[in-house]
Amino acid sequence: GLWGLVNNAGIMGAPAPTDWLDIEHFREPIEVNLIGLINVTINMLPLIKKAKGRIVNVSSVGGCLAFSGGGYFPSKFGVEGFNDSLRRDMKAFGVKVCCIRPGLFKTGLSNPAKIMKEKEVIWNKLPPDIKKQYGEEYFQKDAAKKEKLSKVCLNKDISPVVQCMEHALTSLHPRAHYVVGQDAKLFWNPLSRMPAIIQDFLLLRNRVELAVSHAK
């Protein structure tokens, strides 16, 4: 058998407004983050069941609160749904299934320079009418806001995530969900439980005002 499976592979994709994107921008993160995770899991299940082992799925605070466009957040919402159904299906076999929800950590996935470069490529290909709606200065202003948010929220030490993985694999009584990172515990996770009107108010305060909103 196999005692432990940790599904940690993931990509960000392009976190951009939905009307900037085509279906391929959504397909890639969903294929990797969700379909890939499901595929690995179902192929390993016979070995995990034999050992009465553990499955640890790394989701994200973005699996319960979508604060940007693109395929990353739908993929992580899917991971949360798959994780919950799998946990209940496996109880009868003595297999424990855990979900880890990290906040914003300093990794290759969250590299601000890489993300903004990908968004810039998309921005440069947008039709003129879309650019006009957003305003020619939108991209620069958005980059500045994202950089400010990153400085406030980004966790530099990834060891708490690793510690959660270790606890989920070795503890006699692992938790169903692990929320990791100060930003996740103090802001994203509590916000995900609040009414939509409060979520929208707080999240939209970090958005750049569009040129179209001034049109008469």
Side-chain angles (χ1 to χ4, degrees), residues 10-178:
I11 61 172
M12 176 64 72
T18 305
D19 52 347
W20 292 20
L21 306 174
D22 58 38
I23 192 62
E24 294 306 319
H25 290 118
F26 288 87
R27 192 186 309 277
E28 188 178 15
I30 290 172
E31 283 285 350
V32 174
N33 300 352
L34 177 58
I35 302 302
L37 180 148
I38 294 172
N39 190 31
V40 170
T41 301
I42 59 178
N43 279 284
M44 294 297 176
L45 269 182
L47 292 172
I48 297 285
K49 288 166 67 179
K50 187 176 181 180
K52 295 184 179 180
R54 308 280 174 89
I55 299 172
V56 182
N57 295 313
V58 180
S59 176
S60 165
V61 288
C64 43
L65 184 69
F67 40 91
S68 178
Y72 179 80
F73 296 94
S75 76
K76 291 301 184 179
F77 269 77
V79 168
E80 291 280 343
F82 174 72
N83 181 85
D84 285 353
S85 62
L86 180 68
R87 186 181 68 251
R88 294 170 186 130
D89 288 343
M90 291 298 106
K91 276 188 180 292
F93 300 98
V95 173
K96 291 183 170 62
V97 179
C98 308
C99 184
I100 297 178
R101 295 173 180 160
L104 303 179
F105 279 81
K106 188 176 182 180
T107 66
L109 183 78
S110 59
N111 186 324
K114 181 182 177 183
I115 291 171
M116 294 314 299
K117 187 175 182 179
E118 291 177 353
K119 287 179 72 172
E120 186 174 15
V121 171
I122 297 170
W123 170 261
N124 290 334
K125 292 180 180 178
L126 289 177
D129 60 322
I130 297 289
K131 286 187 175 181
K132 186 177 180 181
Q133 291 168 4
Y134 281 81
E136 288 297 332
E137 296 181 355
Y138 175 88
F139 183 81
Q140 289 77 12
K141 290 180 179 178
D142 180 61
K145 278 188 172 286
K146 294 297 186 294
E147 184 177 358
K148 184 178 179 181
L149 179 67
S150 177
K151 288 180 179 178
V152 173
C153 294
L154 202 64
N155 300 280
K156 295 181 180 179
D157 179 13
I158 65 169
S159 63
V161 180
V162 179
Q163 289 165 8
C164 287
M165 291 177 181
E166 182 183 9
H167 189 275
L169 288 171
T170 63
S171 172
L172 187 62
H173 300 291
R175 302 172 199 163
H177 300 96
Y178 295 81

